[in-house]
Every structure is written in structure tokens, then in C-alpha cells.
Amino acid sequence: MKASAEAYPKRWHIEEFFNTDQALGWHRAGTMNVHIRFAQMSLALIGQTVCHQFRTRLGTPYSSWDANHLARDLFFALEGDVRVKNDTILVTYYNAPNVEQLRAHYQNLPDKLAAENIRPEIPWLYNYKLDFRFR
């Protein structure tokens, strides 16, 4: 009994994780194939990481929203377009919230990555760079 009481705080954080991000693919299992499940869990973890960074960078009230709330009230409301210019994929958003915060983190992204000695080309996008604009 003592061990379960000591481990309870750790358990609570795991429950919060699944409650907040279960819509990223944790709430169902489409198959029992180990390779497919591993890929699904890997992609869900990547999605969770990206959403967490995005929430952190946008701040309140977005930092407390779960995955469904983010999708419904933020991502589905965005308007924009995608274009290719030279070796860069340009994503332009027209009605993004907290535009100045987003610009600080995402606009001129290839230059910011190169300044941190991170290769800005994305191998699975045929080595294109990805950049964002906010209007």
C-alpha cells in the first residue's frame, strides 16, 4: 500500500497526459500488429510534443487547452495557403492568434535553425525547407 501511495503523483501525470492528448491517437487501437502500433504511438508522441511546444509558445489561454480544443478552436479556424519558392515551402496564415509570438518563433525558420547549427532541410519533404508567414 505504501508503494502505491508513493507512486501516485507519477500516475497522476500519466493520467493528465492521456486526458489532454488522447485525441492524438491514444484513445483507440486499430490493429494489434506490433509494427503498426509502434508507428502509431511514435507519431502520437511527436504530435504531443509539437502541440506542447505550440501551447507553450502561444501562452494563455492556449496553454491549458487539450488536443480537441486546440483542433476545434484554433487549427480548424486558421486560413492560409502553401506555396513553393525555390527550395522552401512557404506556409502563410491569415488569421492566426498571437501573431507576434508566432512570428518570433516560426517566421524565417530556416535562418533560425541554421543559426542553431540545425540543418533546415527536411529529408521527408524532399529536402525542402519550411518557413511560415503571418498576415
Side-chain angles (χ1 to χ4, degrees):
M1 186 65 160
K2 181 181 175 187
S4 63
E6 290 172 354
Y8 185 78
K10 294 177 186 174
R11 179 177 161 252
W12 183 250
H13 292 296
I14 292 169
E15 288 179 7
E16 286 177 338
F17 167 79
F18 283 108
N19 183 41
T20 302
D21 295 311
Q22 68 179 332
L24 295 172
W26 294 109
H27 63 292
R28 62 184 167 85
T31 181
M32 294 309 290
N33 180 296
V34 173
H35 301 293
I36 294 172
R37 292 290 294 144
F38 181 72
Q40 179 190 10
M41 288 187 282
S42 298
L43 290 174
L45 282 173
I46 291 169
Q48 188 273 336
T49 302
V50 170
C51 285
H52 174 75
Q53 288 178 345
F54 192 73
R55 285 183 196 112
T56 302
R57 290 177 177 166
L58 275 181
T60 55
Y62 310 101
S63 59
S64 63
W65 289 4
D66 66 12
N68 277 328
H69 197 173
L70 269 178
R72 185 182 60 248
D73 294 335
L74 180 67
F75 295 132
F76 286 157
L78 290 174
E79 294 177 12
D81 65 41
V82 177
R83 297 174 190 237
V84 176
K85 183 178 181 184
N86 300 325
D87 64 344
T88 305
I89 297 172
L90 293 172
V91 180
T92 304
Y93 289 111
Y94 296 108
N95 63 343
N98 299 6
V99 171
E100 293 308 317
Q101 285 179 306
L102 291 172
R103 274 193 189 119
H105 291 289
Y106 298 106
Q107 196 156 308
N108 301 316
L109 187 60
D111 297 335
K112 290 176 182 174
L113 293 172
E116 295 181 21
N117 294 322
I118 299 171
R119 192 173 154 224
E121 296 86 12
I122 303 170
W124 51 269
L125 282 177
Y126 303 101
N127 283 323
Y128 280 95
K129 299 173 187 173
L130 183 63
D131 200 2
F132 298 89
R133 299 286 182 263
F134 301 92
R135 308 268 186 248

